[in-house]
Amino acid sequence: MKVIVCGAGQVGFHIARHLSLENNDVTVVDQSPKLIQQINDSLDVNGIVGEASHPTVLDLAGADDADMLIAVTYADEVNMVACQVGHSIFEIPTKIARVRQQSYLDPMWSNLFSPDHMPIDHIISPEIEVARAVTRRLQVPGAIEMIPLANDKVKLLGVRCGDGCPLVNTPLRQLTQLFPDLNIVIVGLMRGDQAIVPSSDDQMLPGDEVYFVVDSEQIGRAMSSFGYEDTEARRLLIFGGGNIGLFLAQEIEREHDWVQTKIIEQNPERAKNIVGKLGETMVLNGNVLDHELLEEASVSGTETVVAVTNDDETNILASLLAKRYGCQRVITLVNKSTYETLINSLGIDVIVSPRNITVSTILHHIYLLTYWKW
């Protein structure tokens, strides 16, 4: 498959790396010579310096016979125009664009991204995808990842093995003997920074992150086998009322109306604005690091705190405070990859990375399209 990736930032780099490792013909376009040089030095792809939305640049990138265009530059408008040019001039069959600005995605303008107007096949909004990813993790307490597959008939789950996990130091081939009626397949392990494709003789060790596929009707039993008996949270506290916090609260109100949700937002105008967009969710105005406000929000009686402010340090510190005051579980948004290796040792339960989620979502679309079309 021939793919053009517009944008050589972190998201574009990781998408290009994954696709090139699977022997796709990948060309990356970016206006930064430095980023293109890094791409050319690190990956088996073709890097081109230029503006991704310019027809001459796309032509140089081989758009006339490309199968797919993925636009993930930092500018929404460049991404959208690149897809439009790819469609109108080069007839590229599949176009995927990252769009951050929420005004473009307002339901009022739902016909904007249509074949008759701006023919983009898949719009990826990082903020919406992060909110959805957090919602999925809330549905399965204890899971660090949850992805529905095969029309939700099975799920890919990720869990972290604690010292008390019943399955540690047990060869994987014995799982079918221990749980003969449990439809589960261990597909991967993360041990420190090392990714492992396990064999039947491998064992899970304390601290491992284990990824497995399981029948959706057997999720509770599968999580119990790893030592997680918690039920779905009924009290939720969200730190940060930005787009992610708002989308998350709206999703909870729409799909899980039995959950009591509160949001703490520091900006008074923003807090007032989101009140009008929510129904039963309580919005508190103040600093998420203020212990008196945390007590007012009943953090000690909250099962799950989700920290999604626009500042990594605030998210980490507020999460640690929530755990100290008695919150059972914290999910923390972290943008800077340098912090990710520190989080587990601090006692934070789940890390959410917008970059990783965006890359994962785009690759998911690519693999679905590849399966159905090629």
Side-chain angles (χ1 to χ4, degrees):
M1 185 169 62
K2 186 171 182 178
V3 183
I4 298 175
V5 178
C6 300
Q10 290 186 342
V11 171
F13 180 92
H14 284 84
I15 290 170
R17 181 172 66 85
H18 280 283
L19 293 177
S20 64
L21 289 174
E22 297 186 356
N23 298 318
N24 293 290
D25 181 358
V26 181
T27 299
V28 180
V29 178
D30 197 284
Q31 60 182 348
S32 168
K34 180 179 179 181
L35 291 178
I36 290 299
Q37 186 63 50
Q38 291 175 353
I39 286 277
N40 286 329
D41 292 343
S42 306
L43 305 177
D44 184 18
V45 304
N46 181 31
I48 294 177
V49 177
E51 187 62 62
S53 59
H54 290 181
T56 53
V57 175
L58 290 179
D59 185 40
L60 184 62
D64 56 338
D65 62 347
D67 299 301
M68 184 179 297
L69 185 146
I70 304 167
V72 289
T73 75
Y74 289 108
D76 291 348
E77 292 74 17
V78 171
N79 295 338
M80 292 187 288
V81 172
C83 288
Q84 181 71 69
V85 171
H87 172 82
S88 301
I89 298 179
F90 300 104
E91 299 182 351
I92 298 176
T94 303
K95 286 79 60 184
I96 299 174
R98 177 175 64 181
V99 177
R100 288 191 175 99
Q101 179 53 249
Q102 295 305 306
S103 61
Y104 287 124
L105 306 176
D106 192 305
M108 184 182 302
W109 322 118
S110 58
N111 66 340
L112 173 61
F113 303 106
S114 65
D116 295 332
H117 295 92
M118 191 168 290
I120 302 175
D121 300 284
H122 297 286
I123 297 290
I124 307 298
S125 167
E127 293 170 321
I128 293 176
E129 295 302 332
V130 167
R132 289 173 177 169
V134 172
T135 303
R136 292 196 300 268
R137 288 163 172 81
L138 290 174
Q139 293 172 6
V140 186
I144 58 175
E145 181 60 275
M146 195 280 272
I147 300 175
L149 303 170
N151 293 323
D152 209 24
K153 294 179 181 178
V154 298
K155 290 183 172 67
L156 172 66
L157 295 181
V159 298
R160 186 173 293 111
C161 290
D163 293 330
C165 175
L167 299 181
V168 296
N169 302 316
T170 301
L172 298 184
R173 54 183 161 75
Q174 294 185 11
L175 292 183
T176 54
Q177 302 172 16
L178 295 172
F179 306 99
D181 299 324
L182 182 59
N183 296 320
I184 182 174
V185 178
I186 309 293
V187 296
L189 301 175
M190 281 296 297
R191 185 166 296 159
D193 295 330
Q194 181 183 7
I196 301 172
V197 178
S199 68
S200 59
D201 293 323
D202 283 321
Q203 301 180 17
M204 293 173 283
L205 303 179
D208 283 357
E209 293 180 3
V210 183
Y211 295 87
F212 59 89
V213 177
V214 63
D215 188 316
S216 293
E217 296 182 356
Q218 296 183 315
I219 287 179
R221 189 177 173 198
M223 294 301 291
S224 296
S225 68
F226 282 90
Y228 293 97
E229 301 284 354
D230 296 337
T231 58
E232 187 173 357
R234 293 186 175 275
R235 293 179 296 276
L236 173 67
L237 179 57
I238 301 172
F239 292 161
N243 287 330
I244 295 175
L246 175 61
F247 295 148
L248 176 58
Q250 289 174 328
E251 182 78 5
I252 295 297
E253 287 188 348
R254 184 166 52 249
E255 303 293 338
H256 309 276
D257 57 4
W258 61 88
V259 178
Q260 299 177 12
T261 306
K262 299 175 184 177
I263 295 179
I264 298 179
E265 166 56 38
Q266 185 165 8
N267 185 297
E269 291 300 318
R270 178 62 182 178
K272 183 178 180 180
N273 179 264
I274 63 176
V275 166
K277 298 180 179 180
L278 296 168
E280 300 300 320
T281 301
M282 179 183 294
V283 179
L284 302 174
N285 176 223
N287 191 330
V288 297
L289 300 177
D290 183 345
H291 71 92
E292 292 184 358
L293 183 60
L294 292 178
E295 290 180 1
E296 180 183 345
S298 302
V299 67
S300 61
T302 298
E303 290 148 332
T304 303
V305 161
V306 180
V308 288
T309 76
N310 59 5
D311 182 77
D312 284 357
E313 290 80 4
T314 298
N315 290 337
I316 294 170
L317 289 174
S319 297
L320 296 177
L321 280 176
K323 291 284 279 191
R324 179 181 178 184
Y325 292 149
C327 175
Q328 299 175 21
R329 184 173 183 237
V330 292
I331 299 175
T332 308
L333 179 75
V334 176
N335 287 283
K336 300 173 185 174
S337 58
T338 51
Y339 287 147
E340 292 182 15
T341 56
L342 302 174
I343 298 298
N344 292 342
S345 62
L346 295 176
I348 291 174
D349 301 286
V350 180
I351 308 167
V352 176
S353 165
R355 181 200 67 203
N356 293 343
I357 289 171
T358 302
V359 171
S360 176
T361 302
I362 292 174
L363 291 175
H364 179 69
H365 283 300
I366 292 171
Y367 295 145
L368 286 177
L369 291 164
T370 302
Y371 177 80
W372 287 110
K373 290 187 177 182
W374 285 276

